């Protein structure tokens, strides 16, 4: 085998770490976990796109969820319309909680023409009934709201008690602006943990913030990029030096580090790794930088008790070579990268060369 897939090896080593060193803990779902604390994943983006190969991953689902965040959307209708169902359970649980809070079960059956919908019926109605989806598909001010429209308060006289409401803050657009204007800033951060709105969310953020970091590329690194992108046009080093600016070869590399308070290692973490890897690719393209390193800091890192056998199965598998991601240079992506994320389509982001072992199914705990 002429390659080393360090990402899958890190991941399966983490699974083994939890099996060997995890302590038994109870959790809000009632499932139970074995858990360790304070782990890290590091991936060099030059080694390929960070999508696990030791089990098949649904790339389109990952893309759809990230685009949903970037749109600032918090209603699952966009997700279910695009065949992404990872938030279905949270939305349905919220629907049940609201139904049971508002009336007794007997009154509900007598007065509600739909009765108490099953989860499948609930999702179908989200798809087909816009009014129903508007109220029942809403998850509260979760990731997309915080990323694109953070609300807070500042000193003033408008609302009394010395407080006035701020204009919503678009953290993603601010980040892009800062990367272009002050790329060495140590404040290149986006936060989803809005303490004042946690009680309005169906689920407080598990991955609660990220920070990016840039560095200047060495000249030989820029020449390597020229060779990779333009082949023989950058073959001679002397010519390469002259062509770097002509071909708009990036002058900086960009890394991203995300922080995660709670990590469902078997089901959730593979999604988180790929999602933040894709976010890094999108940011790099927008500000003409090269994706460098992806880092995940993991707090309560756990396996649910009904994921143990699945984890053991995955540990036995050897990883394949990592794929690559290509992004369209068409109008939709250019518009999205100017902040119009509603215009981007999942088809603008292409996964190339993905080979994997089969899916390993495991139940999701909500």
């Amino acid at each position: 085998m002429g390659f080393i897939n360090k990402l899958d090896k890190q991941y399966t080593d983490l699974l083994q770490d939890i099996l060997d060193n995890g302590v038994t803990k109870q959790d809000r779902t009632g499932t139970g976990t074995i858990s360790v604390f304070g782990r890290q994943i590091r991936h060099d983006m030059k080694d390929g796109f960070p999508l696990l190969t030791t089990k098949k991953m649904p790339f389109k689902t990952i893309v759809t969820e990230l685009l949903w965040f970037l749109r600032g959307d918090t209603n699952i209708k966009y997700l279910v319309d695009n065949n992404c169902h990872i938030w279905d359970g949270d939305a349905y649980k919220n629907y049940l909680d609201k139904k049971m809070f508002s009336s007794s079960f007997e009154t509900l059956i007598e007065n509600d023409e739909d009765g108490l919908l099953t989860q499948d019926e609930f999702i179908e109605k989200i798809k087909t009934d816009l009014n129903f989806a508007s109220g029942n598909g809403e998850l509260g001010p979760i990731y997309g709201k915080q990323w694109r429209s953070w609300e807070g308060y500042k000193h003033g006289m408008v609302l009394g008690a010395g407080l006035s409401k701020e204009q919503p803050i678009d953290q993603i657009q601010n980040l892009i602006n800062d990367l272009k204007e002050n790329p060495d800033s140590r404040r290149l951060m986006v936060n989803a943990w809005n303490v004042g709105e946690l009680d309005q969310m169906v689920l407080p953020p598990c991955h609660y913030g990220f920070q990016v970091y840039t560095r200047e590329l060495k000249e030989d690194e820029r020449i390597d990029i020229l060779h990779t992108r333009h082949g023989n046009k950058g073959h001679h080093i002397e010519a390469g030096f002259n062509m770097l600016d002509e071909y708009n070869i990036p002058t900086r590399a960009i890394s991203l580090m995300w922080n995660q308070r709670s990590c469902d290692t078997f089901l959730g973490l593979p999604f988180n790794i790929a999602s933040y890897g894709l976010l890094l690719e999108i940011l790099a393209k927008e500000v003409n930088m090269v994706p460098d390193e992806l880092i995940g800091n993991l707090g309560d890192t756990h396996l649910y008790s009904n994921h143990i056998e699945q984890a053991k199965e995955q540990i036995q598998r050897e990883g394949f070579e990592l794929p690559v991601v290509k992004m369209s240079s068409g109008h939709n992506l250019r518009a999205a990268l100017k902040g119009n994320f509603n215009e981007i389509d999942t088809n603008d982001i292409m996964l190339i060369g993905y080979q994997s072992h089969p899916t390993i199914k495991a139940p999701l705990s909500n």
Side-chain angles (χ1 to χ4, degrees):
M1 194 175 289
F3 67 92
I4 299 175
N5 181 337
K6 297 177 184 176
L7 178 68
D8 274 278
K9 183 64 166 61
Q10 278 189 82
Y11 177 76
T12 54
D13 283 351
L14 178 59
L15 293 178
Q16 190 65 59
D17 179 13
I18 300 170
L19 291 175
D20 292 342
N21 301 305
V23 297
T24 301
K25 296 188 72 174
Q26 296 304 309
D27 71 288
R28 65 174 177 84
T29 72
T31 307
T33 69
I34 55 173
S35 168
V36 296
F37 184 67
R39 299 298 190 264
Q40 189 176 79
I41 292 284
R42 301 185 76 100
H43 174 67
D44 187 335
M45 296 293 286
K46 291 195 295 294
D47 292 341
F49 185 75
L51 189 68
L52 292 183
T53 68
T54 43
K55 67 178 177 184
K56 187 175 182 180
M57 295 294 300
F59 181 67
K60 286 292 186 184
T61 295
I62 294 166
V63 173
T64 299
E65 185 195 37
L66 178 62
L67 295 182
W68 182 62
F69 292 160
L70 289 171
R71 290 160 59 100
D73 201 346
T74 57
N75 192 298
I76 66 164
K77 180 163 176 58
Y78 172 83
L79 298 179
V80 299
D81 285 348
N82 287 278
N83 199 33
C84 175
H85 296 285
I86 55 181
W87 285 87
D88 287 6
D90 295 289
Y92 183 64
K93 183 174 181 292
N94 190 46
Y95 158 80
L96 291 180
D97 289 344
K98 288 192 297 185
K99 283 286 191 181
M100 292 307 188
F101 180 77
S102 62
S103 62
S104 69
F105 181 75
E106 291 79 8
T107 304
L108 181 68
I109 294 303
E110 291 173 3
N111 298 335
D112 190 335
E113 62 181 15
D114 294 316
L116 195 62
L117 301 176
T118 67
Q119 182 165 322
D120 288 343
E121 291 169 339
F122 171 78
I123 296 304
E124 185 60 31
K125 193 161 187 181
I126 291 287
K127 288 182 182 179
T128 58
D129 186 332
L130 190 58
N131 288 333
F132 180 83
S134 178
N136 292 282
E138 182 56 49
L139 301 179
I142 60 169
Y143 300 99
K145 168 69 161 55
Q146 305 307 332
W147 284 14
R148 303 305 310 275
S149 188
W150 175 291
E151 292 186 37
Y153 293 88
K154 63 182 178 181
H155 287 290
M157 299 303 293
V158 177
L159 300 182
L163 295 175
S164 63
K165 201 166 188 179
E166 293 181 334
Q167 285 293 106
I169 299 166
D170 187 339
Q171 294 190 82
I172 296 294
Q173 191 59 58
N174 285 352
L175 174 65
I176 290 170
N177 294 342
D178 289 343
L179 280 166
K180 292 177 178 179
E181 296 169 8
N182 187 14
D184 283 324
S185 172
R186 296 187 292 267
R187 303 177 183 182
L188 303 172
M189 300 176 65
V190 171
N191 197 347
W193 193 263
N194 190 338
V195 177
E197 295 187 334
L198 292 179
D199 61 349
Q200 303 170 46
M201 305 176 189
V202 296
L203 184 67
C206 294
H207 42 102
Y208 59 85
F210 65 91
Q211 179 179 358
V212 298
Y213 172 93
T214 79
R215 64 174 179 87
E216 290 187 356
L217 289 166
K218 299 174 183 176
E219 201 145 32
D220 60 339
E221 291 179 299
R222 295 186 71 205
I223 291 172
D224 286 343
I225 296 167
L226 176 66
H227 292 171
T228 300
R229 292 185 180 180
H230 299 288
N232 291 334
K233 292 179 181 178
H235 181 68
H236 298 294
I237 289 182
E238 295 80 5
F241 281 121
N242 297 326
M243 289 181 170
L244 293 176
D245 294 333
E246 179 184 345
Y247 282 92
N248 197 29
I249 300 302
T251 61
R252 283 183 175 264
I254 180 172
S255 296
L256 184 150
M257 178 174 69
W258 85 91
N259 296 308
Q260 192 155 346
R261 65 171 178 87
S262 176
C263 181
D264 173 355
T265 308
F266 188 77
L267 286 181
L269 181 58
F271 274 75
N272 303 137
I273 295 169
S275 182
Y276 278 106
L278 181 57
L279 179 60
L280 177 54
E281 293 271 6
I282 290 173
L283 290 172
K285 192 173 182 70
E286 161 62 11
V287 297
N288 193 31
M289 296 183 187
V290 177
D292 199 3
E293 193 170 21
L294 179 69
I295 305 162
N297 294 321
L298 314 177
D300 187 321
T301 308
H302 51 267
L303 282 169
Y304 282 101
S305 59
N306 52 5
H307 294 171
I308 303 298
E309 294 307 313
Q310 293 92 329
K312 290 178 179 178
E313 179 181 351
Q314 190 167 355
I315 287 169
Q316 301 304 314
R317 297 177 173 182
E318 291 288 334
F320 295 100
E321 189 169 0
L322 292 176
V324 296
V325 159
K326 298 287 186 184
M327 287 185 280
S328 165
S329 57
H331 165 75
N332 287 348
L333 191 62
R334 290 198 303 272
L337 295 177
K338 295 183 183 299
N340 302 320
F341 289 101
N342 288 3
E343 297 191 30
I344 194 170
D345 186 87
T346 56
N347 293 323
D348 292 318
I349 300 173
M350 297 158 283
L351 184 68
I352 298 171
Y354 183 52
Q355 183 180 6
S356 74
H357 291 272
T359 301
I360 305 176
K361 293 188 176 181
L364 178 64
S365 295
N366 292 119

